[in-house]
Amino acid sequence: MRVLMFGWEFPPHISGGLGTACYGLVKGMNHHNQEVIFVVPKLWGDEENLADFVNGSAISINYREKKFKKIWKNLTYLEVSSFLVPYLGPEEFQKFTDYTIHDKVDVDESIFTNKYEFSGKYGKNLMEEVSRYALVGAQIARDRSDFDIIHAHDWLAFPAGIAAKEISGKPLVVHVHATEFDRSGESVNKPVYNIERAGMHAADHVLAVSALTRNIVIKKYGVPAHKVSVLHNAVLDASIIKSAYQKKVPEKIVTFLGRITFQKGPEYFVEAAKKVIDRDPNVRFVMAGSGDLLNRMIQRVAELRIANKFHFTGFLKGDDVDHMYAISDVYVMPSVSEPFGIAPLEAVRHNTPVIISKQSGVAEVLRNAIKIDFWDVDAMADAIFALLHYEGISKMFKELGSEELKKLKWEHVAAKLITVYEKTIAQQS
């Protein structure tokens, strides 16, 4: 089988879990000898040779064709004044300045008779690039016939997947890694919601990264239940990492590592930290990451007078992430709404016991972890205190967690995905 897959990023150039999941899935497909044509807006040249990569910035668009004009006419974009990531919070999205419906009269013809250079980032022209990426998808689908099915990852790539389906007539699978309801609660950004909904309804099948996400897709987007299946994420390597990196402080360390946004529930972590420090001042808390709630969290820590025991590292990547996991005694993910959440699995790989919210997809596969409601600060504080002070409990969760990881491999996920592909193709024929 040969799959035409549209993503927005691929390691080593990523900004979050979306790129990591794409990497794992493609690697899992390789394990089963399946071929993937992986399209990204911009290739950097140092991607691992796992797929037949296509650089969107190298594709020449001929928009004069009637189908291309129709696709462009139906596309919309936001002109955003700030740099964004694919998981946008409500405060970030409020900065948009213009919303335009395009017709061919808006287009400088020279743009599409040549190549369009994508930034490959999440900048102020993000939504414009999403629209142009759709034309790239259409052009690739027109030029190539050597694929059996189309797979588009998240809303950024949904328009490209739809366009490729319209041109080729091949079945489309869309992969929902997060929804606008996860990012923004009930204050959804309507244009993004519309893109998500259009992708889900145009698709022949919808993949959700958890049962939690599947329910949102069905209830909030009106997608028939029979059309949506769950495909959990996994880990690239299930082995336990034994790091030689040593912490430089005598106290125990409790870590929050993720985007500091509404979705991740950082405020609940701060409130729980206060309760734990009141019971045991020999504990340090770390909030690693960046996001629109960072300044508010810094202010709240100051108000609670725990700044001498609370540290903000900023955004971490590479070895710094591994070092942070290695020196942590407890990892906490208090997400308000987490479609999946790969970070707790990485923490387990570093032999760190985890506390996760019941409102997370990873809670469906990581059974041997302490689970709390994100809003229950008292329960969170009690769980942190127990893991820090009762060695038997901590040791038990470390051992059970490492055993669970062995079942969470990308080749197992890929095997399930291939079955979905086969059924989807059979239903169309």
Side-chain angles (χ1 to χ4, degrees):
M1 188 180 302
R2 196 161 170 82
V3 184
L4 177 60
M5 193 173 286
F6 292 96
W8 198 261
E9 60 180 27
F10 199 87
H13 301 277
I14 61 174
S15 69
L18 177 60
T20 302
C22 288
Y23 176 85
L25 203 54
V26 171
K27 201 157 187 175
M29 292 286 284
N30 275 354
H31 182 83
H32 295 283
N33 299 313
Q34 304 296 307
E35 297 181 62
V36 178
I37 306 165
F38 198 94
V39 187
V40 284
K42 184 181 181 68
L43 283 177
W44 301 90
D46 54 356
E47 291 82 5
E48 190 176 338
N49 187 27
L50 294 173
D52 178 4
F53 284 105
V54 177
N55 184 359
S57 297
I59 301 298
S60 297
I61 305 296
N62 182 4
Y63 89 105
R64 293 187 188 89
E65 291 190 23
K66 186 179 293 185
K67 285 186 177 180
F68 283 67
K69 290 181 180 179
K70 181 181 178 182
I71 290 169
W72 179 249
K73 185 175 181 178
N74 291 333
L75 288 171
T76 63
Y77 81 92
L78 287 171
E79 197 170 288
V80 187
S81 61
S82 63
F83 285 84
L84 305 173
V85 295
Y87 311 98
L88 305 173
E91 292 185 12
E92 292 165 303
F93 248 132
Q94 287 303 313
K95 298 175 183 176
F96 75 86
T97 58
D98 183 43
Y99 177 64
T100 307
I101 304 293
H102 277 289
D103 205 334
K104 77 181 185 71
V105 295
D106 299 316
V107 181
D108 179 353
E109 186 171 326
S110 65
I111 291 176
F112 294 115
T113 53
N114 294 300
K115 300 168 185 173
Y116 179 75
E117 181 69 27
F118 291 90
S119 69
K121 299 184 182 298
Y122 304 98
K124 67 178 183 178
N125 296 321
L126 175 63
M127 298 301 278
E128 180 182 354
E129 292 198 349
V130 168
S131 295
R132 295 177 193 270
Y133 189 43
L135 289 179
V136 167
Q139 188 71 49
I140 292 170
R142 191 187 75 89
D143 293 344
R144 304 185 67 153
S145 59
D146 58 339
F147 61 92
D148 305 294
I149 195 166
I150 304 158
H151 187 150
H153 291 277
D154 251 6
W155 68 271
L156 294 161
F158 284 1
I162 294 171
K165 177 182 177 178
E166 289 180 358
I167 292 294
S168 69
K170 301 288 178 67
L172 169 65
V173 172
V174 300
H175 203 145
V176 183
H177 296 264
T179 71
E180 183 58 11
F181 291 93
D182 298 307
R183 293 181 288 268
S184 307
E186 294 299 321
S187 303
V188 299
N189 180 274
K190 197 66 175 176
V192 174
Y193 170 83
N194 289 340
I195 292 174
E196 291 178 329
R197 191 176 189 281
M200 294 175 197
H201 282 269
D204 297 277
H205 196 81
V206 179
L207 294 168
V209 293
S210 64
L212 183 74
T213 302
R214 180 178 183 269
N215 290 336
I216 293 174
V217 167
I218 295 168
K219 294 177 181 178
K220 301 289 188 179
Y221 293 84
V223 181
H226 68 83
K227 187 178 167 179
V228 191
S229 60
V230 175
L231 194 73
H232 289 119
N233 288 333
V235 289
L236 295 171
D237 186 348
S239 62
I240 297 298
I241 297 171
K242 295 181 179 179
S243 175
Y245 193 78
Q246 299 293 320
K247 62 182 176 183
K248 306 298 192 296
V249 295
E251 298 97 332
K252 297 290 182 71
I253 295 177
V254 182
T255 299
F256 169 108
L257 195 154
R259 295 185 312 279
I260 306 176
T261 61
F262 158 81
Q263 180 188 351
K264 299 294 184 179
E267 61 268 43
Y268 304 103
F269 180 75
V270 171
E271 300 301 325
K274 168 63 174 172
K275 290 180 178 293
V276 173
I277 292 171
D278 284 347
R279 294 169 70 179
D280 181 3
N282 294 314
V283 182
R284 289 181 183 268
F285 286 79
V286 176
M287 183 167 283
S290 59
D292 59 293
L293 294 184
L294 175 59
N295 290 337
R296 196 182 303 179
M297 294 304 99
I298 293 173
Q299 182 179 350
R300 182 57 181 157
V301 165
E303 290 172 352
L304 293 172
R305 299 183 181 276
I306 56 173
N308 62 326
K309 293 291 183 180
F310 204 107
H311 307 271
F312 295 91
T313 69
F315 179 75
L316 299 181
K317 60 181 179 179
D319 290 342
D320 289 336
V321 174
D322 289 333
H323 292 163
M324 193 67 251
Y325 284 131
I327 64 174
S328 299
D329 295 282
V330 178
Y331 172 81
V332 184
M333 190 184 76
S335 297
V336 174
S337 180
E338 186 70 52
F340 188 78
I342 292 178
L345 300 183
E346 292 301 321
V348 172
R349 285 196 65 212
H350 286 80
N351 217 22
T352 303
V354 301
I355 299 168
I356 56 180
S357 73
K358 295 177 182 177
Q359 293 74 24
S360 63
V362 73
E364 298 168 16
V365 297
L366 196 59
R367 292 177 173 81
N368 292 300
I370 295 179
K371 301 168 189 177
I372 46 91
D373 289 305
F374 71 87
W375 43 263
D376 195 340
V377 176
D378 290 323
M380 192 186 306
D382 288 342
I384 293 170
F385 189 88
L387 287 172
L388 292 178
H389 292 85
Y390 300 102
E391 181 60 32
I393 296 176
S394 178
K395 182 180 179 182
M396 178 187 71
F397 280 111
K398 288 178 182 180
E399 292 175 351
L400 293 175
S402 64
E403 285 299 311
E404 280 192 308
L405 280 186
K406 296 174 184 177
K407 306 172 187 176
L408 302 175
K409 296 182 178 180
W410 278 110
E411 51 261 41
H412 299 159
V413 177
K416 294 179 181 178
L417 177 59
I418 293 167
T419 300
V420 170
Y421 286 158
E422 290 171 345
K423 288 181 179 179
T424 304
I425 292 170
Q427 287 170 355
Q428 192 190 51
S429 59

